[in-house]
Each structure stands twice: as C-alpha cells, then as structure tokens.
Amino acid sequence: MTNQDVAEKLREVYNLMQLAGENRFRAIAFDRAAQTIEGLSDEITKHIEEGTLTDIKGIGKSIAEDIRVFAETGTMPVLEAYKEKVPKGLIEWLNISGLGPKNIVKIHQTLGITEITELKEACQSGAVAELPGLGQKSADKIIKSIEYLEKFGERARLNQALEIAEPLFEFIKGLEGVQQCDIAGSLRRSRETIGDIDILVAAGKDKVESIFDAFVNHELVVEVLGRGDTKSSVRTDTGRQADLRIVKPEEYPAALMYFTGSKEHNIVMRQRARERGMALNEYGLFKLSEQKETDFDQPVKTESETDIYNKLGLNFIPPEHREDRGEFEFYSEHEKMELVSDTDIKGVVHAHSIWSDGKYTIRQMAEACMERGYEYLGLTDHSKTAAYAGGLTIDEVKRQWDEIDQLNEEFKKAGKKFRVFKGMESDILSDGSLDYPDEILKGFDFVIASVHSGLNMPLESMMARFEAAIKNPYTRIIGHPTGRLLLKREESKLDLNKLIELAAEQNTVIEINASPWRLDLDWRYGNKAKETGLITSINPDAHSIEGIDDIRYGVKIARKAKFDPARVLNTKSVEEFEEWCKRE
Ligand code: DGT
Ligand code: CA
Ligand code: CA
Ligand code: ZN
C-alpha cells in the first residue's frame, strides 16, 4: 500500500461525501488528509506500524482509524458506506470537467436524474440552463465535457484497448535490441475495461534511446506525455494513453509481475515475500537485511515469473487470475487450473440474421462460421415483442424454420458436416414468461431468454422475473443477465449469486455474452459459478459476420472466470450439441 493508494481512497471519500450532501467541513478534512499524505516524505505504512498516524498534521483520530482499517483489510468502511448512499450514476458525473459536486447535487435533486445520458438531455432541453446559478453557458460547457468523455472516456472497452495495444506491441517487439516484450497491466489480466495500456520491454542500456524514439514516433501516437530514462507515456489517436517501460533483462521477471498487477495481487505477493525473509519490488526479489530492509546487494536470482511464484510457495498464477480473489489459496495447492481456450470453441451460439436486426442472411452467417472452422451455428433472432429489433412473428418463425431446413439439407448434400440450429432469443416479458406459446417454443432446438425492456425493475420483481424464465422448461440459456453496456449503461438490479444457484440447479446455462459492450456474465462471479457447477456458453451475440469474432473477448472473460472446457456449452461438437438440444 503506497501513500498514493491511501490518498486516492481519502479523496474518493471526500468526493462522495459532497455528493451525499454532507457537511462541507467534514468532507474537507478528508481532502486535506489526502493532500498531506501525498506530500509525505516517508511511508504511511511506517506510521501505521509505529502508531504515529495522528502525529501527521491534519490527520485526526477518526481518519487515522479509517487509514488503519484500510491497511489491515483493504477496504475503508466509511468509503463503502458512502458508495451505498450515493447513486452510482452520479459518481460518474465527477468525471465531467467543469462540473463540481455542488452543482451535481443541485441538478440531481431538482431534476431527479442520475445518469450522464439524462444529464446531457437535460442540458440540451434547456432544463439545466434554467436552474439558479447555472445558465446556458454552463449547460453548453457540460455538453461539451460529456461529449469529450463519450469520445475518449476514462476507460476503454477491451476491444478498443486491444486495437491500439496489439499493433504497438507487434511493432515494439520487432525493434532492434528488444530482448523481451509483453503487454502488462489490466490488459494482460483481461479486465473488461482498460484505463491505460502498459507495455514492458527488456533491453540493454545502449538500446533504450532508440526504442523510445521509435515508440514516440509510431503512427498511432499523437502526443508525447512524458519521457524519462525508463518510461515513456504517449497519447494515441483514440485518446488512450500508452506507457512503455524499459528495464534491464535481469529485472524483467519482477517488473513484468509488478506492472501486470493487480495492485491487490501485488500487495499479497510482497507480504508473502516478507514472511519468507525477502522483499519483492519492481526491480526483483531481494533478501531482507537484519534491520528488515530490502538489501539490494543481495538479490535472489529469478529467471521468470514462475520462478518468483515458486520461491514464494506458489505455482505460476496466470495473469487473468491475479486479482486477489482466491488465487493464492488455489495455486498454493494446485499446479494449474484447466481453462477454456479459443481452440476449444466448436460452435457459434447466439447470432442474429436479417430476419431480425442482423446484417447478413442465415446463409452468409453460416458460411462465415464454416470459414472460421466452427461446426455449427445456433441462430437466435429476436422474438416478436422486440419489435424495435425486428422480432419475428409466429408466421415468420415458421418460414425461418423452412429456410434453415433447406440450408441444412443443402449442406448435407454437399458433404459438409456443418449445421444450423433453430434457436431463438426470446424476450423475457415483465411477468417472466417467454414470448411465444408453448407449441411454438417446442419447435426450436433451443431458446435463449433475455431481458430487453424494463431493465430498471426493482430487485425483487427482477429476480421473480428471472426465476420464472429459468424454470420455464423451454429456456435453455439465459442471455446477458444484467443487461449492462460497459461504460454506457448500468446493470439491472440482480442478485447474481442467487441467479447462478438457481440456474445451476435447473440445468440452465447462463451465457457469457462476448460482445465487448457486455461481457456479461461478469467474471467476478466465477467463483460462485465454479462452486455451483454452472455451465456457461461463450456467445458472440453476433449481428454481423465480424461480430462472430467477438468470441475471443468472451474466451478471455471465461478464463478469468475460471471456466474449464467442460463447463462451456459451445465446446461441444455438433453431435454433442444436437444431443444437448434434445434435452431429457
Ligand atoms: P488500468 O490501467 O486502470 O486499467 O489498471 P492497471 O492495473 O493496468 O493499472 P496501472 O496502469 O495504473 O498500473 C499497472 C500495474 O502497475 C498495476 O496493475 C500494478 C502496478 N502498480 C502501479 N501503481 C502501483 C501502486 O501504486 N502500488 C502497487 N502495489 N502496484 C502498482
Ligand atoms: Ca494500465
Ligand atoms: Ca499505466
Ligand atoms: Zn440480446
């Protein structure tokens, strides 16, 4: 835990307190404490150990206690309490430059809105300009800031980050003098959203300048944000920041581990090192001196990340599991976890055609699947209530079935093993029922049940709705359970733990929607899914041919969520999938 970590938490409390309408002076105390800690010339951890926190100017008893608890448990109760109090959407407003907490509270309370999208509308409609102390100029400024946020955002979705990181990585890897190179940070950990891109290189000292030169002159770079001896930061053409760090070859394993993170994972690793008389930092693993300080003269030689893990009593922990969510317990006892990979995926489940809101015909989608080496396509257009998405009437469903039968016949004649399955993405209506009568539902090979409207229901009604859908014998898969759109729309209120238990019990699959907008089921529920034996399906929700390739993002999330191939529906071969469709 660094001084910066503590300062950030305190500042978060400060911001939230203001949004909660707390006494301004109480809030300011947190901001002052944050500032002081940022400016400390020694480590806050030392003050915690020695019980001297309150000696620091501006840190009173109560904040000292908050810091101590944070150091001990990794969470700060006062912060968690305010997170509960303040609507999540509102917290994001703090990212709008030029809009302070006071005005946020004013707008929120008088107009009763919480989402950024609503705020933008209120600025455009003139509602914000009418508020005392705001006016048209302020409203226009807010719109501009929101548009900037929309464009560049605080974070990027996985696909947006990869679009920049991959070409940069390939380019840097090929430069002269680059001995090792990896993408690190949240991207290596397969997080669903990415703050900035971190790339790490091992090179000799004489090559550092030329590598940085090439990097800052890359065609994707529009601005150099900083350049030092070991690190260069640039802004790329989408606004996304990328950091390149160059370290000595012997430092590479420890640096890669450090800059892969997560912070939370690193904290535990450092703790494990200390328990074993060593110190771990971004430069390497070292022995501790008698004064229990890092002895840089006594490095412990490490060849690789695996080596470091082994020396700290662990087997290699794959980057996607480095979140301090049970990985230490698991990898201290097991050599590895079996995880699904791209090559395990045999079929494409959840795709749309021009029958509803897709861009291509069933034939075109099927051929694209074949080209990619898949054995089947589980076609799932929208159901009739989803009129905005071209949902199919009963008559259309029957005609679509005929088309699929003919296609399959044709494939068979041509000696192709490929098959299109008659699926449906049925809306879950507000009472939890599916969108067609049973005699139609039973004609599908399988049904995905998804919520597309009434996403803001209260928790209990939403759970009842899902429970009814899961218990419906025709529902085989639950689609994008929370309905979230990453960096755009909040998730519905759901008790996902309960939902997973229920689905596992009923033998209903919950998809991992692989669209980079969704990545829903969230990987954070991986432990629960594993415990209950839940089956998932890595579904692209493809509305176009290119959309099929989103499966790769879903695979990343499924690995992060600890799914092995046996618990992923579409690792089944076409014959096995056909069996599954028959049900028992
Ligand atoms: P992001 O960029 O917000 O998506 O998340 P990360 O995880 O890529 O974070 P970033 O770019 O700030 O730093 C990369 C890694 O470096 C991070 O995962 C862990 C390590 N790191 C950076 N700053 C700190 C720190 O203050 N303390 C610790 N323990 N680790 C840090
Ligand atoms: Ca990063
Ligand atoms: Ca970074
Ligand atoms: Zn859907």
Side-chain angles (χ1 to χ4, degrees):
M1 191 183 73
T2 63
N3 294 356
Q4 196 54 42
D5 293 339
V6 177
E8 267 170 32
K9 290 287 164 198
L10 295 174
R11 195 152 281 131
E12 243 183 289
V13 177
Y14 164 68
N15 286 328
L16 292 181
M17 282 176 89
Q18 294 184 88
L19 294 186
E22 281 291 345
N23 177 305
R24 193 167 150 70
F25 292 102
R26 265 200 69 205
I28 283 175
F30 281 88
D31 187 42
R32 288 237 177 85
Q35 270 184 39
T36 310
I37 291 168
E38 273 169 345
L40 276 186
S41 55
D42 53 1
E43 293 300 307
I44 188 93
T45 43
K46 207 188 94 214
H47 289 282
I48 297 169
E49 273 162 32
E50 294 170 359
T52 55
L53 276 174
T54 46
D55 295 351
I56 304 172
K57 196 175 144 257
I59 297 189
K61 260 202 193 136
S62 121
I63 292 184
E65 180 60 13
D66 292 331
I67 297 173
R68 208 190 48 73
V69 174
F70 174 55
E72 202 170 283
T73 64
T75 54
M76 200 179 273
V78 59
L79 179 60
E80 300 310 313
Y82 280 111
K83 277 188 183 162
E84 290 284 304
K85 259 193 205 167
V86 177
K88 259 197 199 162
L90 218 54
I91 298 171
E92 283 173 36
W93 292 24
L94 288 169
N95 296 324
I96 301 167
S97 64
L99 186 62
K102 234 174 94 189
N103 280 331
I104 293 179
V105 173
K106 191 189 290 172
I107 297 170
H108 163 64
Q109 285 180 349
T110 35
L111 303 180
I113 54 178
T114 53
E115 300 302 316
I116 286 190
T117 44
E118 293 171 318
L119 172 62
K120 192 175 171 189
E121 281 164 20
C123 288
Q124 284 161 340
S125 73
V128 168
E130 280 169 22
L131 296 179
L134 276 144
Q136 192 58 47
K137 251 191 174 161
S138 304
D140 289 343
K141 224 172 110 195
I142 295 171
I143 293 175
K144 260 187 108 178
S145 300
I146 293 175
E147 279 167 354
Y148 185 84
L149 257 185
E150 284 168 348
K151 207 162 160 206
F152 296 131
E154 283 291 297
R155 303 185 68 77
R157 282 174 288 277
L158 192 48
N159 61 322
Q160 297 173 312
L162 280 169
E163 268 162 32
I164 303 160
E166 284 181 335
L168 276 179
F169 169 67
E170 289 302 325
F171 171 73
I172 294 166
K173 211 169 57 171
L175 293 174
E176 205 216 313
V178 172
Q179 299 180 24
Q180 290 187 78
C181 181
D182 282 279
I183 295 175
S186 48
L187 202 48
R188 184 164 183 241
R189 301 200 313 280
S190 300
R191 290 289 292 236
E192 67 276 33
T193 66
I194 306 298
D196 67 1
I197 294 159
D198 301 282
I199 300 178
L200 187 70
V201 156
K205 227 183 154 96
D206 56 321
K207 301 286 192 243
V208 171
E209 284 303 305
S210 64
I211 295 169
F212 278 149
D213 280 341
F215 173 59
V216 302
N217 286 306
H218 188 274
E219 60 181 6
L220 286 175
V221 171
V222 294
E223 189 188 347
V224 182
L225 300 168
R227 177 164 171 174
D229 298 336
T230 58
K231 175 181 167 188
S232 277
S233 296
V234 298
R235 191 179 300 292
T236 61
D237 63 354
T238 58
R240 193 63 27 211
Q241 183 178 328
D243 294 343
L244 173 63
R245 292 184 180 82
I246 308 183
V247 302
K248 297 183 197 133
E250 65 270 25
E251 292 172 353
Y252 194 77
L256 180 58
M257 182 179 279
Y258 181 85
F259 291 112
T260 296
S262 65
K263 262 187 206 175
E264 293 74 16
H265 179 87
N266 289 353
I267 289 169
V268 177
M269 288 298 285
R270 279 204 299 271
Q271 187 58 34
R272 289 185 77 100
R274 287 195 84 82
E275 285 161 12
R276 288 164 179 76
M278 292 179 277
L280 177 67
N281 55 41
E282 58 181 285
Y283 305 103
L285 191 60
F286 301 90
K287 291 218 170 109
L288 286 179
S289 67
E290 275 171 24
Q291 294 79 39
K292 299 262 174 252
E293 272 162 17
T294 311
D295 188 346
F296 283 94
D297 293 329
Q298 289 202 71
V300 179
K301 201 167 181 326
T302 51
E303 303 276 352
S304 60
E305 283 189 325
T306 307
D307 214 7
I308 301 176
Y309 281 115
N310 291 168
K311 289 199 163 78
L312 301 184
L314 294 160
N315 290 300
F316 177 77
I317 302 182
E320 52 270 62
H321 289 173
R322 299 182 194 173
E323 301 284 353
D324 191 18
R325 283 176 179 262
E327 69 266 30
F328 298 104
E329 290 79 353
F330 185 88
Y331 290 97
S332 61
E333 285 170 17
H334 304 84
E335 180 127 24
K336 63 189 277 225
M337 195 186 292
E338 212 190 325
L339 298 174
V340 66
S341 67
D342 294 303
T343 50
D344 293 321
I345 305 298
K346 305 266 169 48
V348 175
V349 179
H350 197 165
H352 300 264
S353 74
I354 50 171
W355 280 92
S356 64
D357 59 352
K359 277 200 221 150
Y360 296 89
T361 61
I362 303 177
R363 176 193 297 277
Q364 285 170 318
M365 290 299 280
E367 281 169 355
C369 290
M370 267 184 259
E371 267 168 37
R372 287 159 172 75
Y374 295 116
E375 298 177 14
Y376 51 96
L377 164 65
L379 186 81
T380 53
D381 275 308
H382 285 286
S383 62
K384 66 176 196 295
T385 295
Y388 59 90
L392 275 59
T393 62
I394 290 178
D395 182 52
E396 284 169 327
V397 166
K398 290 181 175 163
R399 284 192 284 129
Q400 185 181 64
W401 286 346
D402 289 340
E403 185 179 323
I404 293 174
D405 284 337
Q406 279 171 28
L407 259 179
N408 281 333
E409 196 54 36
E410 186 189 316
F411 293 152
K412 204 167 165 187
K413 270 194 197 139
K416 289 177 186 140
K417 200 180 150 202
F418 193 86
R419 181 168 162 186
V420 180
F421 288 93
K422 296 168 189 157
M424 168 54 60
E425 182 179 15
S426 169
D427 270 30
I428 302 175
L429 307 182
S430 55
D431 64 355
S433 59
L434 299 182
D435 210 3
Y436 297 105
D438 285 0
E439 60 265 31
I440 297 298
L441 288 172
K442 77 174 177 230
F444 293 108
D445 288 320
F446 71 100
V447 173
I448 299 178
S450 311
V451 166
H452 289 116
S453 57
L455 289 148
N456 294 325
M457 274 188 170
L459 177 73
E460 286 80 37
S461 345
M462 200 59 153
M463 286 303 288
R465 190 177 177 188
F466 269 103
E467 181 165 352
I470 288 175
K471 289 190 169 162
N472 187 316
Y474 294 106
T475 302
R476 303 303 306 282
I477 302 177
I478 293 293
H480 46 72
T482 76
R484 74 177 180 191
L485 294 177
L486 289 167
L487 307 176
K488 189 169 176 200
R489 183 172 75 204
E490 286 292 318
E491 55 264 43
S492 298
K493 290 194 193 67
L494 269 186
D495 182 342
L496 276 169
N497 287 315
K498 249 202 203 138
L499 198 75
I500 289 168
E501 270 170 24
L502 202 61
E505 207 177 274
Q506 299 287 325
N507 237 329
T508 303
V509 173
I510 299 182
E511 78 174 6
I512 289 179
N513 190 295
S515 160
W517 284 92
R518 296 186 182 270
L519 300 174
D520 181 17
L521 187 64
D522 189 292
W523 60 267
R524 289 166 188 79
Y525 292 86
N527 287 338
K528 183 70 183 181
K530 199 172 172 194
E531 230 172 82
T532 56
L534 180 84
I535 308 287
T536 192
S537 182
I538 301 174
N539 294 351
D541 197 354
H543 288 75
S544 66
I545 287 171
E546 310 80 68
I548 296 169
D549 297 321
D550 285 352
I551 287 177
R552 64 178 295 218
Y553 309 118
V555 170
K556 283 176 188 290
I557 295 301
R559 291 173 64 84
K560 200 165 176 62
K562 305 174 182 167
F563 282 98
D564 61 6
R567 283 195 300 123
V568 178
L569 174 68
N570 52 338
T571 60
K572 288 186 189 296
S573 66
V574 61
E575 295 87 2
E576 290 165 342
F577 193 83
E578 196 172 336
E579 268 309 299
W580 176 83
C581 287
K582 283 181 195 151
R583 278 180 292 157
E584 42 298 320

